[in-house]
Amino acid sequence: RNVREYLSICRVGFPSLIRQGLTSVTVGLLNNVTKPFGDAAIAAMSVVSKYAQFLMCVGLGMGQGFQPVASFNYRARKFDRVKKGLVFLMIFALIVIGGASTVSIFMAPQIIRIFQKAPEVVAVGTTALRNYSFGMIFMSFSVPVNMLYQSIQKPTISSILSMIRSGAVTIPILLIGVPLLGLPVIQTAQPIADVLAGFISIPFILHFLRKDHNE
């Protein structure tokens, strides 16, 4: 029995392991592929990555706050509460993260200048921050559904969604695209993963909301 319990704990925690592990690999790879483009590119992407991580932590914090609510009510068969909680979380995340991302898109140069004032850094960072900020809007869909399926012990779906956003898309794009197209790939790889994860999450959201879990 204890073995089954430990395996269950590992299965439920596996999406978090993937999310954190692949994110670390992606950040390391991003730093390495940026080096050939000079100090300005390295400084710019460092600023943008840290700023994006801050917004990501806000989104993950919201999702982690939703997890005990989803888990408790799902096990209590209060499925309507879980659905309402999911919808509320997505709307709230869209307001907070979407609002912050929209501001970041329009004020990207000013934000970069807070940390780095060199014109070359601002130029590279402005484009990257606008791309990253647009991609972060889609976290309003990918993070809630990811946390939901992890909470109701359906880690396979959660793991797949974690992989898409955290590195399974970004890493190949960086490895293949940077030698071919250069710096623009570095500025867009993660946003592409964010947008893709958001769109892939939508069918899972609709399926959960429409399903009669009492059957």
Side-chain angles (χ1 to χ4, degrees):
R1 179 180 178 182
N2 288 336
V3 173
R4 288 199 300 269
E5 290 177 353
Y6 293 144
L7 289 175
S8 177
I9 292 171
C10 291
R11 286 179 65 250
V12 173
F14 190 63
S16 296
L17 175 63
I18 291 177
R19 184 163 52 244
Q20 296 176 11
L22 281 180
T23 297
S24 299
V25 173
T26 302
V27 171
L29 177 62
L30 181 65
N31 291 334
N32 285 330
V33 298
T34 307
K35 287 181 181 178
F37 298 96
D39 293 338
I42 295 172
M45 292 309 301
S46 177
V47 170
V48 172
S49 295
K50 287 181 172 59
Y51 185 85
Q53 286 173 9
F54 170 75
L55 290 182
M56 183 182 71
C57 287
V58 173
L60 290 177
M62 294 179 187
Q64 289 171 351
F66 170 65
Q67 282 187 306
V69 176
S71 178
F72 178 83
N73 285 284
Y74 189 84
R75 291 301 168 189
R77 304 189 66 80
K78 304 291 184 180
F79 302 118
D80 286 341
R81 290 184 182 179
V82 182
K83 293 179 180 180
K84 290 177 181 178
L86 176 63
V87 172
F88 173 81
L89 177 60
M90 289 189 295
I91 294 173
F92 187 67
L94 189 60
I95 293 172
V96 176
I97 298 177
S101 297
T102 301
V103 171
S104 300
I105 290 172
F106 288 102
M107 298 189 64
Q110 292 84 349
I111 293 173
I112 299 298
R113 287 193 189 99
I114 295 174
F115 305 96
Q116 292 282 346
K117 300 187 183 301
E120 299 86 356
V121 176
V122 175
V124 175
T126 296
T127 300
L129 182 56
R130 284 174 174 161
N131 293 340
Y132 270 65
S133 296
F134 177 76
M136 296 293 285
I137 296 173
F138 291 83
M139 279 187 60
S140 305
F141 305 107
S142 61
V143 169
V145 71
N146 195 321
M147 297 297 185
L148 168 68
Y149 280 98
Q150 186 176 3
S151 300
I152 62 176
Q153 295 193 8
K154 294 185 178 180
T156 301
I157 296 174
S158 184
S159 298
I160 292 172
L161 295 175
S162 293
M163 289 175 63
I164 292 171
R165 194 203 169 272
S166 300
V169 173
T170 308
I171 292 173
I173 290 177
L174 290 173
L175 291 175
I176 297 172
V178 172
L180 297 175
L181 301 175
L183 185 59
V185 176
I186 297 173
Q187 295 169 312
T188 56
Q190 184 59 51
I192 289 173
D194 285 327
V195 173
L196 185 61
F199 276 112
I200 292 176
S201 297
I202 292 175
F204 292 102
I205 295 170
L206 296 176
H207 172 74
F208 184 84
L209 293 177
R210 291 175 177 175
K211 182 179 179 181
D212 184 1
H213 298 273
N214 291 304
E215 292 179 352

